[in-house]
Amino acid sequence: MPTPTTDPHPVSAPEQGVPGDWLFEHAPLPQTCAVVTPDGALSQWRGNVAWHRLFEGAAPWVDPAVHAEFVHRLIALGGQGAEGVEPLRREMALTDRQGRERQMLVKAHLLPVNGQTMLLAGYLDITKQRAAVMASIGEYREMVDSANDTILLVEHNRIIECNPAAEQLFGRSRAELIGQHPGDLSPPFQEGGIASMELAQQRIADALSGVRRRFLWRHLRPDGSEFTAEVMLNPAHSLLDDKGLPRQGRFVSIMRDATERLQAEQALKDSAERFQRLFELAPVPLALLEPRGRVLAVNRQWTQLLGYTLDEVPDIPTWVALAYPDLAYRNMALALWDQALTAVMEEGREMQPTEVQVRSKDGQTRSVLVGGAMVGKELMTSFVDVTPQRRAQAELEALNATLESRVQERTQALQSAVDHLQRTQEELVRSEKLAGLGSLVAGVAHELNTPIGNAVMVSSTLRDLQQQFDDSVAQGLKRSALQQFQTHWREATEVIERNLQRAAELIASFKQVAVDQSSYQRRPFELREVLHELHLTLSPTLRRSQVELIDLAPAGLRMDSYPGPLTQVLMNLVNNAVVHAFEQRERLREVRITAEALPDQRVRLSVVDNGCGVDPAHLSRLFDPFFTTKLGRGGSGLGLHIVYTLVTGLLGGTVQVSSQPGQGCTVTLDLPCEAPHAAAPSHNMVQHG
């Protein structure tokens, strides 16, 4: 094709008189024309005035191959020079005289003119429009790239473009997403067991047919984790092909991760179900209602208490009419309700429980505490039946009316029982003491029997010697007979004297112990003497039980106290050991009494046995009255109680017991050398010891 010049007519024009030539030159739109040779090449190309004006008189360089493409495509569509063939359109970049590039929309078609085929082309400058479009496309791209939602452009079932949000949502790069089928980004099956690929094809077909679809879809990330997204499919009708027609097989997919929303919805659903279950199974009668309108729900406890179902009390006016049949009381109850409801709704407080009398379906009137609180826009009310409490309160008030007289009666009866118990205890203590004294008397009597019996026997022997001596005197006394009589007489008197002296000692000891135990006389004494007298007194009992008593009190321990109660304490402790400590011991049985002086004018007495010990479970109860391990076998349970009472009371000391099973028992008495001064004991105290 010849090179154009700046001349308005750089190429020879067609023959004069060709129809439309003048119109071509002066047409308002830039146009060019050229002759198409039989081989499809172009010749005699020229532009009109408007064309030269557009490019400021400079002929732009036009690629001949571009026009050749027009020619070939036009011939292919309708044949060379065929009429009725639609023009072809193409955007082209042309450079003007100043070197500026212009975007041109070129339309060309073939026309038969004077036996020749002409290529007629028109030019439309779309530089500004294209710049605006490119700016708009940039804005749209920026908007798409910055969108939080995932946007996919799909053509022929393959992703051809995506925004950064898609990369983040799927955990894949743009390069990994491009070319993927949407079904390939899903697990094998969707909810309901439908194959993902099959369902995806159905949804894509709907989108391509122009149907907008919104649905939830499960997707799969490369790490195997799943997520659910809300998907919207829109057909891409705004995208045109080269002919300006909507592109086929292309749609836009917009996605939003719905995992958290679905979890929240499920949590809300679960919470609602839990609330419904808690409401229904609550142990308190509950009703859910609109504050001034409908009754929304009642639970089973409410129906069981009042008898009505939800269908029977659909709204508050119906309920009020049933619950408060008396008009005056109904108005009062409604006033209380309105006051409480105002406080709840305006001040946001809980409804304080208010007691009202409610008529249930069975006709009974119940005392009910009605309270409530707002749950969202609804009011949750509770109905607590206090009818049994009110009945009990009425009965209690009636009982209180006669309580004082009944208390007096019960007090007198209790005092009589206490007096009877005290007398019984006194009798038991007296019996315990008399039993001890009886055992002591029996022992002393047994002990006295030996010396007195010996004295009686020697006395009878002396009577026989006297008779023999008298016979010898009648027959004539011999010296030898006199000497023999004197010898036997002397021996007999010595035996009688020793036995009578032994009996006198026993009687004196028994007399002192008896006097001390029958009175609480206070006097100074030496502890060693009291232990010696105790030893003599208990000797018969100890010998029968084969128990050895060892007293190791040093000389010089003097006390100003009550020897009688002290002797009774020690006697009870020794007898307790004899009775309980050696039941199952065959070896040497021994009870040891030791005494030592302590600081601050105190003395410590320890009664130690080598018996079987005390069960640890019994240690804390040894001094309790009537506690004994020989109940029904002679034990009264008062011996150690008497010990505790005398030691901690009259003697002013303390008593402790320590024992290990199988290792004996130790009773420790800490006593002041000078007993506390107290009022003279009463007769009962003396008797009870």
Side-chain angles (χ1 to χ4, degrees):
M1 180 167 54
T3 303
T5 67
T6 58
D7 186 84
H9 304 284
V11 182
S12 60
E15 295 180 1
Q16 296 296 323
V18 174
D21 181 65
W22 187 88
L23 293 176
F24 169 78
E25 285 291 342
H26 298 283
L29 295 177
Q31 295 181 353
T32 62
C33 66
V35 177
V36 180
T37 63
D39 61 358
L42 299 177
S43 66
Q44 301 181 25
W45 180 89
R46 71 173 182 171
N48 68 353
V49 175
W51 190 91
H52 285 279
R53 189 181 300 114
L54 174 65
F55 290 99
E56 298 180 359
W61 292 99
V62 179
D63 187 356
V66 174
H67 290 85
E69 178 186 353
F70 279 113
V71 173
H72 294 155
R73 291 181 64 183
L74 286 168
I75 293 174
L77 288 174
Q80 185 172 354
E83 294 184 2
V85 177
E86 291 290 332
L88 293 180
R89 301 180 359 148
R90 181 181 179 88
E91 282 191 28
M92 301 177 64
L94 302 178
T95 305
D96 63 12
R97 183 177 181 182
Q98 304 299 326
R100 295 173 299 188
E101 187 177 89
R102 294 177 178 270
Q103 292 292 328
M104 308 299 294
L105 179 62
V106 182
K107 296 179 65 175
H109 58 160
L110 299 176
L111 294 174
V113 179
N114 296 331
Q116 292 180 322
T117 301
M118 303 291 293
L119 177 63
L120 182 64
Y123 297 80
L124 179 64
D125 187 0
I126 60 171
T127 303
K128 293 182 180 179
Q129 294 90 323
R130 179 55 62 192
V133 169
M134 294 306 295
S136 177
I137 290 175
E139 292 174 354
Y140 273 104
R141 185 70 199 186
E142 181 180 2
M143 181 174 62
V144 170
D145 286 348
S146 61
N148 291 325
D149 291 339
T150 292
I151 301 177
L152 301 177
L153 181 60
V154 182
E155 186 175 65
H156 300 303
N157 298 340
R158 299 292 171 180
I159 299 173
I160 63 172
E161 191 55 86
C162 67
N163 66 343
E167 299 178 90
Q168 183 176 1
L169 180 63
F170 284 98
R172 302 170 187 264
S173 66
R174 177 177 177 275
E176 292 174 321
L177 289 172
I178 299 299
Q180 292 281 353
H181 190 290
D184 294 335
L185 302 176
S186 310
F189 298 95
Q190 294 295 315
E191 295 292 341
I194 303 176
S196 295
M197 189 61 71
E198 177 185 348
L199 188 58
Q201 291 296 122
Q202 295 177 8
R203 299 291 167 82
I204 291 173
D206 292 341
L208 294 177
S209 66
V211 179
R212 296 176 181 270
R213 297 297 302 270
R214 181 191 296 264
F215 52 88
L216 294 175
W217 191 269
R218 293 169 57 199
H219 294 83
L220 191 65
R221 293 190 176 97
D223 60 3
S225 61
E226 294 187 8
F227 68 93
T228 300
E230 184 180 25
V231 181
M232 292 173 286
L233 298 184
N234 300 311
H237 293 315
S238 60
L239 299 174
L240 306 178
D241 59 13
D242 292 340
K243 296 182 179 180
L245 300 175
R247 290 183 179 272
Q248 300 298 318
R250 180 177 287 195
F251 64 90
V252 176
S253 175
I254 302 176
M255 301 181 184
R256 178 175 298 171
D257 190 354
T259 304
E260 293 185 0
R261 177 173 65 83
L262 292 176
Q263 291 175 348
E265 290 176 355
Q266 185 62 41
L268 183 62
K269 180 180 178 182
D270 294 342
S271 178
E273 290 177 354
R274 285 195 299 271
F275 173 80
Q276 179 63 30
R277 185 168 180 80
L278 288 174
F279 175 83
E280 187 62 29
L281 299 180
V284 177
L286 299 175
L288 186 65
L289 46 87
E290 295 175 348
R292 302 186 185 278
R294 294 182 303 145
V295 178
L296 303 175
V298 295
N299 66 353
R300 291 185 300 176
Q301 291 289 339
W302 194 92
T303 300
Q304 290 177 5
L305 174 64
L306 301 172
Y308 298 107
T309 64
L310 180 61
D311 294 336
E312 294 173 314
V313 285
D315 50 47
I316 294 178
T318 303
W319 158 247
V320 169
L322 294 173
Y324 313 117
D326 182 76
L327 182 59
Y329 189 83
R330 182 190 309 167
N331 293 333
M332 184 272 294
L334 283 175
L336 291 175
W337 172 260
D338 290 339
Q339 181 180 357
L341 193 60
T342 300
V344 169
M345 299 184 67
E346 295 182 359
E347 302 176 16
R349 297 183 301 172
E350 293 184 0
M351 182 182 291
Q352 296 300 317
T354 302
E355 184 172 343
V356 291
Q357 305 297 314
V358 176
R359 176 73 64 87
S360 60
K361 187 176 181 179
D362 59 6
Q364 296 185 17
T365 299
R366 296 182 178 275
S367 297
V368 178
L369 284 176
V370 180
M374 296 299 295
V375 181
K377 296 182 179 180
E378 299 165 352
L379 180 64
M380 176 77 73
T381 54
S382 61
F383 293 72
V384 180
D385 186 12
V386 294
T387 305
Q389 292 89 318
R390 294 296 172 261
R391 291 174 181 170
Q393 184 177 2
E395 294 175 357
L396 182 60
E397 291 175 354
L399 179 63
N400 287 338
T402 59
L403 182 61
E404 184 175 355
S405 60
R406 297 183 64 180
V407 168
Q408 291 179 353
E409 295 175 359
R410 293 294 178 87
T411 302
Q412 292 176 357
L414 182 60
Q415 185 62 44
S416 299
V418 171
D419 293 342
H420 177 71
L421 181 61
Q422 185 175 1
R423 287 193 300 270
T424 302
Q425 183 176 355
E426 291 173 356
E427 291 298 329
L428 287 172
V429 172
R430 185 179 296 109
S431 300
E432 178 74 12
K433 184 173 181 180
L434 291 177
L437 290 176
S439 176
L440 176 63
V441 169
V444 171
H446 177 77
E447 188 69 15
L448 287 174
N449 188 54
T450 300
I452 293 176
N454 291 336
V456 171
M457 182 181 63
V458 173
S459 175
S460 62
T461 301
L462 282 177
R463 188 171 54 251
D464 293 339
L465 288 175
Q466 179 66 38
Q467 184 62 42
Q468 292 176 3
F469 181 74
D470 291 343
D471 292 341
S472 297
V473 171
Q475 295 176 2
L477 183 63
K478 297 181 180 179
R479 175 183 286 276
S480 59
L482 179 58
Q483 292 177 344
Q484 184 179 9
F485 175 75
Q486 290 175 336
T487 300
H488 289 312
W489 182 270
R490 186 169 50 254
E491 292 176 352
T493 55
E494 290 177 356
V495 171
I496 291 173
E497 183 180 1
R498 286 198 304 271
N499 282 278
L500 292 178
Q501 186 176 1
R502 171 62 178 165
E505 290 177 356
L506 289 174
I507 292 173
S509 175
F510 173 68
K511 179 180 178 182
Q512 184 61 49
V513 171
V515 169
D516 286 339
Q517 290 196 12
S518 63
S519 68
Y520 280 4
Q521 181 181 3
R522 179 182 182 135
R523 64 180 177 86
F525 61 90
E526 186 166 344
L527 183 59
R528 187 173 184 179
E529 294 177 356
V530 171
L531 295 181
H532 177 67
E533 293 170 355
L534 175 68
H535 198 159
L536 291 175
T537 304
L538 294 177
S539 294
T541 301
L542 296 173
R543 277 198 297 271
R544 286 198 307 271
S545 303
Q546 299 180 353
V547 176
E548 181 180 1
L549 177 63
I550 303 172
D551 59 274
L552 300 175
L557 283 179
R558 296 192 59 79
M559 301 180 67
D560 182 4
S561 186
Y562 299 91
L566 178 58
T567 301
Q568 185 175 356
V569 166
L570 295 174
M571 184 181 297
N572 283 356
L573 292 176
V574 173
N575 284 333
N576 191 72
V578 170
V579 172
H580 297 281
F582 305 110
E583 286 185 318
Q584 300 177 356
R585 290 185 75 88
E586 300 298 334
R587 61 186 181 88
L588 176 65
R589 303 178 178 185
E590 182 179 281
V591 177
R592 185 183 301 266
I593 302 177
T594 62
E596 59 176 323
L598 298 177
D600 300 330
Q601 293 295 309
R602 298 181 70 83
V603 65
R604 173 170 294 170
L605 283 167
S606 298
V607 180
V608 184
D609 65 68
N610 63 346
C612 59
V614 180
D615 188 336
H618 297 160
L619 279 176
S620 61
R621 302 185 58 194
L622 287 180
F623 297 120
D624 292 350
F626 309 112
F627 175 75
T628 178
T629 58
K630 290 185 174 295
L631 186 63
R633 293 180 291 166
S636 66
L638 291 173
L640 292 183
H641 177 62
I642 294 173
V643 169
Y644 181 84
T645 302
L646 291 176
V647 170
T648 59
L650 189 65
L651 299 178
T654 61
V655 56
Q656 292 181 343
V657 179
S658 61
S659 176
Q660 291 291 335
Q663 300 182 16
C665 178
T666 299
V667 181
T668 303
L669 311 177
D670 283 353
L671 303 173
C673 293
E674 183 176 351
H677 292 276
S682 65
H683 176 71
N684 284 340
M685 291 178 62
V686 174
Q687 292 298 322
H688 300 164

